[in-house]
């Protein structure tokens, strides 16, 4: 997986988080199609993307928002 993006997010309590986006390279004949993306916090906890700006920390259920 390749790191393709980093951004900051905040929870409702104001706690800040660093989000890292990884993308799996696609090695098929259909070039131009992006691979699947995985969202994680910098500390390694997995995120569930709810929209382009809203995510849920899987371990805790807390929702965080891109800033």
């Amino acid at each position: 997986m390749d790191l393709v993006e980093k951004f900051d997010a905040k929870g409702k309590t104001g706690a800040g988080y660093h989000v890292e986006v990884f993308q799996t390279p696609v090695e098929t004949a259909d070039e131009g199609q992006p691979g699947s993306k995985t969202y994680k916090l910098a500390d390694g906890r997995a995120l569930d993307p709810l929209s382009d700006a809203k995510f849920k920390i899987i371990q805790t259920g807390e929702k965080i928002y891109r800033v």
Side-chain angles (χ1 to χ4, degrees), residues 19-57:
V19 177
E20 298 176 341
V21 184
F22 295 89
Q23 189 166 8
T24 305
V26 176
E27 297 180 15
T28 65
D30 190 10
E31 293 296 324
Q33 291 288 6
S36 62
K37 290 186 177 180
T38 302
Y39 297 82
K40 294 183 181 183
L41 295 178
D43 67 9
R45 290 183 285 171
L47 296 174
D48 183 16
L50 303 175
S51 72
D52 285 339
K54 187 175 172 182
F55 304 85
K56 182 172 73 173
I57 301 172

Side-chain angles (χ1 to χ4, degrees), residues 4-19:
V4 294
E5 184 180 3
K6 288 183 181 182
F7 59 88
D8 292 325
K10 284 194 176 185
K12 289 191 176 195
T13 63
Y17 300 93
H18 298 291
V19 177

